[in-house]
Amino acid sequence: MNSRFGRIYPGVGVVLVVMLSLALSGCALPPLSDRPESQSIPAQQTASTRLGRAIAPLAAEHPGDSGIVFLQNAYDAFAARALLAEGADATLDVQYYIWQADITGILLLDVLYRAAERGVRVRLLLDDNGISGLDDILAALHTHPNIEVRLFNPFVVRSPKWIGYLTSFSRLNHRMHNKSFTADNQAAIIGGRNIADEYFGAGSGALFADLDVLAIGPVVNELSRDFDRYWASASAYPASAILPEPGAEDLAKVVETARECSASTEASQYVCAVSESEFLKNLLAGDLEFVWSPVSMVSDDPAKVLGEKTEKGLMSRQLAQAMGNPEHSITLVSPYFIPTKAGVEMFQKLERQGVQVRVLTNSLEANDVAMVHAGYAKYRKPLLEAGVQLFELRKVPGEEPVERSLQDNLMGSSSSSLHAKTFAVDGQRLFVGSFNFDPRSVHINTELGFVIESPELTQLMENHFEEQARVTAYEVVLDEDGDLQWIERNGDEEIRHSHDPGVGVLKRMMVSVFSFLPIEHLL
């Protein structure tokens, strides 16, 4: 290699050697021998907190059941997290795949900081792949006596992170996709939302239409135990072991940055919009109504990222067992839907048994990952031939102000990209969580969710699907010649498209090329 590249391109050999040296020297993770231990505080010990006093009478009226509230509206979802943090007196356990340094990300970090200043113990567990631009801030927060930050499956080389893939791809390809926010082991939020503006309707960009649930009752204890499992796992590294050491004044700078962010015009407009949240109004008025039902938590063993998974520890296996065998219907909402051949065969079998299968996913114009769409597109015909009803969320570009009114449904606003992950079985059981119906969720990433045994909430989700899918989505069908068609309904008007609507020929060709690549197992 030296003789060839050294003569023709003298600098190439040097660059390659430097890159390889960086990769090899930076791939070793530090030891965890000095990592401090901590566990969630039992709910019995937080019963006297403000949250505990508010929740205990409700839980006492529904022994064994958990209370659930849907958080469909983006503003409600932000308000719920902020209020839980403001209301916590003892602990905050927070776990996310993505946390961005934008309006909502900085505002929520500031809420956690203020809770720590009140004496609340804050444990923040973040996947290291989704915290771009936050290294200095997280390192500074970690110095607070009441805040501990851990990075899950971290990159040792911080910039550029992609160098880590040169020697550690098999490890770094696995990510913690879980999302949870738990206060005083009394109330928790789980679902599809990460912490970034596009999930909470902030800024001027498009919204990710998503779904979270606020939970109280016994399932919160299950979630806290699961957080402990991830917190103590072999992939959770203290921020101080990975991030550059902060300066003495860095925490003060973080606080000042948060104050400046809060005072900005865009943030002020957003906070005003959140103040009109229906969730916030109902909570302050004492009118927040929980639906009480048996709820169980399903999650992957964190050892999955290290290749130490067991069948029993796989969430996909737990989820299949918890949802049972469908007898009448399945209604599935997944932004990244790659059924694989095995999934198509399963749906074919269900349809032959008389089970109605309906699926909502993103159209090509609404999908934020074209390669994932390519993994799905090749299965559309087999699914339709099997009798599956297939809907793809439309995306109608438009400029909306930050104060925009967000629809209270799974589809979100007209400029949305679907991000909710939920499915219902037989009008009786409902799953909500982080799990996509794709190979990455099944085999590669870790996931988390709730199985809710509530006909009321299940039917609510199915009614939203029924009412909205034909209005905000294309229905994909086969014409008389067996070719795909997309039906767009605008009131009484019906438009039929013969190819993926809303995108140019170049993007459609790119998706076609991607569909032939042998990468389905990575999607």
Side-chain angles (χ1 to χ4, degrees), residues 29 35 95-97 124-131 149-155 158 161 171-172 174-178 226-227 229-239 242 300-306 444-446:
L29 288 166
R35 184 180 64 178
Q95 178 181 23
Y96 280 96
Y97 171 58
L124 180 59
L125 178 60
L126 300 175
D127 186 273
D128 194 33
N129 196 49
I131 56 169
V149 179
R150 291 188 180 178
L151 303 181
F152 194 87
N153 200 16
F155 295 76
R158 305 310 296 171
K161 277 187 174 180
R171 174 177 68 85
L172 294 172
H174 295 265
R175 307 313 317 174
M176 182 189 73
H177 199 233
N178 311 37
D226 193 66
F227 181 92
R229 183 169 66 150
Y230 276 80
W231 187 253
S233 73
S235 297
Y237 286 77
I242 300 296
D300 279 305
D301 188 324
K304 182 180 181 182
V305 304
L306 299 176
I444 300 176
N445 291 347
T446 67

Side-chain angles (χ1 to χ4, degrees), residues 122-438:
V122 178
R123 296 191 296 175
L124 180 59
L125 178 60
L126 300 175
D127 186 273
D128 194 33
N129 196 49
I131 56 169
S132 177
L134 279 179
D135 278 14
D136 292 343
I137 292 175
L138 294 175
L141 288 173
H142 186 71
T143 64
H144 192 288
N146 291 326
I147 300 176
E148 185 177 357
V149 179
R150 291 188 180 178
L151 303 181
F152 194 87
N153 200 16
F155 295 76
V156 179
V157 177
R158 305 310 296 171
S159 180
K161 277 187 174 180
W162 59 262
I163 285 179
Y165 285 115
L166 295 178
T167 57
S168 304
F169 178 82
S170 60
R171 174 177 68 85
L172 294 172
N173 182 46
H174 295 265
R175 307 313 317 174
M176 182 189 73
H177 199 233
N178 311 37
K179 301 140 176 101
S180 69
F181 196 110
T182 306
D184 287 352
N185 204 359
Q186 294 288 335
I189 298 168
I190 66 103
R193 286 185 176 90
N194 294 296
I195 306 300
D197 287 355
E198 55 263 38
Y199 300 95
F200 296 111
S204 57
L207 168 73
F208 277 159
D210 222 321
L211 176 64
D212 294 324
V213 295
L214 169 66
I216 60 177
V219 76
V220 179
N221 285 313
E222 290 186 52
L223 183 62
S224 290
R225 287 194 296 269
D226 193 66
F227 181 92
D228 284 345
R229 183 169 66 150
Y230 276 80
W231 187 253
S233 73
S235 297
Y237 286 77
S240 55
I242 300 296
L243 302 181
E245 185 177 355
E249 303 299 322
D250 283 3
L251 184 57
K253 292 178 182 177
V254 169
V255 175
E256 179 60 26
T257 298
R259 299 297 178 266
E260 292 175 356
C261 175
S262 300
S264 69
T265 301
E266 200 170 27
S268 297
Q269 289 177 333
Y270 180 72
V271 170
C272 287
V274 170
S275 69
E276 298 300 315
S277 154
E278 289 300 317
F279 170 86
L280 182 59
K281 291 178 181 178
N282 291 334
L283 181 66
L284 295 177
D287 295 332
L288 193 64
E289 295 186 6
F290 289 89
V291 175
W292 292 87
S293 64
V295 181
S296 57
M297 189 204 71
V298 289
S299 73
D300 279 305
D301 188 324
K304 182 180 181 182
V305 304
L306 299 176
E308 301 171 4
K309 63 184 179 182
T310 63
E311 287 299 313
K312 186 178 180 181
L314 286 176
M315 177 180 153
S316 54
R317 177 62 62 88
Q318 301 166 25
L319 185 55
Q321 293 174 344
M323 297 301 288
N325 296 318
E327 297 180 359
H328 307 293
S329 65
I330 293 180
T331 304
L332 189 152
V333 178
S334 181
Y336 309 126
F337 177 61
I338 304 175
T340 72
K341 291 182 179 179
V344 171
E345 291 173 0
M346 178 188 72
F347 289 135
Q348 289 172 336
K349 181 180 179 181
L350 289 171
E351 287 284 351
R352 287 196 297 268
Q353 294 172 349
V355 177
Q356 180 192 41
V357 181
R358 299 183 297 175
V359 177
L360 173 69
T361 190
N362 277 312
S363 64
L364 179 54
E365 66 177 353
N367 200 318
D368 63 323
V369 186
M371 193 169 290
V372 170
H373 191 85
Y376 147 75
K378 60 187 176 184
Y379 292 111
R380 286 186 292 209
K381 275 192 177 182
L383 288 168
L384 293 170
E385 289 168 350
V388 174
Q389 289 182 274
L390 197 56
F391 299 88
E392 296 180 359
L393 183 74
R394 294 158 53 184
K395 185 173 184 178
V396 183
E399 295 183 2
E400 298 176 281
V402 71
E403 301 94 336
R404 62 190 178 224
S405 175
L406 303 178
Q407 299 177 34
D408 288 324
N409 58 63
L410 294 174
M411 316 314 153
S413 71
S414 61
S415 59
S416 294
S417 178
L418 181 69
H419 199 258
K421 307 127 184 358
T422 179
F423 69 93
V425 172
D426 292 341
Q428 301 292 315
R429 301 178 299 282
L430 177 72
F431 168 80
V432 178
S434 66
F435 184 86
N436 291 304
F437 204 99
D438 63 14

Side-chain angles (χ1 to χ4, degrees), residues 462-517:
E462 290 181 334
N463 288 341
H464 278 311
F465 190 107
E466 187 72 33
E467 294 167 4
Q468 298 293 329
R470 297 178 185 275
V471 176
T472 59
Y474 303 109
E475 182 177 6
V476 187
V477 299
L478 295 175
D479 63 16
E480 294 179 354
D481 297 323
D483 295 324
L484 293 172
Q485 282 198 338
W486 288 256
I487 301 176
E488 176 184 349
R489 295 182 174 90
N490 299 308
D492 295 330
E493 182 185 20
E494 182 177 293
I495 303 171
R496 288 183 176 254
H497 303 269
S498 59
H499 54 70
D500 288 278
V503 295
V505 63
L506 185 60
K507 189 170 186 179
R508 297 200 303 273
M509 289 176 61
M510 181 175 64
V511 168
S512 296
V513 171
F514 285 160
S515 67
F516 289 105
L517 299 178

